[in-house]
Amino acid sequence: MSKRTSAPQEPSNGGLSRQRRTYTIGELARMFEVTPRTIRFYEQEGLLAPERRGQARVYHEKDRVRLKLTLRGKRLGFSLAEIREVVEMYDAMPDGNARQLKRLLEILADKRANLERQLEDIRLMHRELDDVESRAREVLASLETESTGR
């Protein structure tokens, strides 16, 4: 098992091919700036399937790609179920196919629609806060005027 602390690169002549490259849990954790606990969680969720050698987990290139896709999905707000669906489609057709891409586009459209709804909710809440603040300032000014006028 070789050690690597930075993002994987294409092997130089005489190096291991990308398909035979293996990683420890610590290497992947450092590579993607996550904790080993995060990686074990994704394994429990069925998103990663490392080889076991005794107590040690041995991750292959496929696991590295799946972890990369999983973390990207989380950043985009995908649920674990959505990530699993996309990752499984990727495994079936790494270069993509029409069904896979259509489903990905559906998921992205749903995410975009949810963000638009959230943005509108935020705009409404902002207007309501402005209204409440304005009324509170008016009442406070009125109270201050009354107290100095007496």
Side-chain angles (χ1 to χ4, degrees):
M1 194 171 347
S2 61
K3 297 286 181 203
R4 179 178 289 274
T5 57
S6 62
Q9 300 171 0
E10 291 298 325
S12 60
N13 289 341
L16 290 174
S17 73
R18 286 184 68 80
Q19 295 297 36
R20 295 186 57 207
R21 173 80 171 93
T22 61
Y23 307 88
T24 65
I25 195 168
E27 288 172 330
L28 285 180
R30 284 188 299 278
M31 188 181 299
F32 291 103
E33 299 177 345
V34 297
T35 64
R37 184 177 180 177
T38 297
I39 294 173
R40 286 190 297 271
F41 172 74
Y42 291 141
E43 181 183 344
Q44 287 174 333
E45 292 296 316
L47 294 165
L48 302 173
E51 176 186 343
R52 292 294 191 134
R53 292 185 189 157
Q55 292 293 326
R57 291 169 168 88
V58 179
Y59 297 87
H60 295 276
E61 185 62 20
K62 178 180 176 178
D63 298 304
R64 187 193 68 79
V65 171
R66 288 176 69 111
L67 179 58
K68 182 178 180 178
L69 291 172
T70 298
L71 294 171
R72 183 176 295 157
K74 288 305 289 177
R75 278 193 306 275
L76 292 172
F78 285 31
S79 69
L80 288 179
E82 290 167 331
I83 292 169
R84 187 177 298 104
E85 182 179 0
V86 171
V87 166
E88 287 172 359
M89 284 189 289
Y90 176 82
D91 283 349
M93 288 290 214
D95 295 329
N97 65 22
R99 183 180 66 84
Q100 176 185 1
L101 295 172
K102 285 178 184 175
R103 179 61 186 136
L104 179 58
L105 290 172
E106 287 172 6
I107 293 170
L108 292 173
D110 287 345
K111 292 293 168 213
R112 187 177 308 276
N114 285 337
L115 285 174
E116 290 296 331
R117 280 192 295 275
Q118 289 175 340
L119 190 53
E120 186 55 32
D121 288 345
I122 290 169
R123 286 185 187 119
L124 287 170
M125 186 178 292
H126 196 267
R127 284 193 293 266
E128 288 176 15
L129 288 172
D130 287 346
D131 290 344
V132 169
E133 180 182 18
S134 177
R135 280 185 260 144
R137 290 185 186 280
E138 288 172 8
V139 169
L140 180 60
S142 172
L143 292 172
E144 288 174 343
T145 302
E146 287 178 15
S147 68
T148 57
R150 288 186 183 171

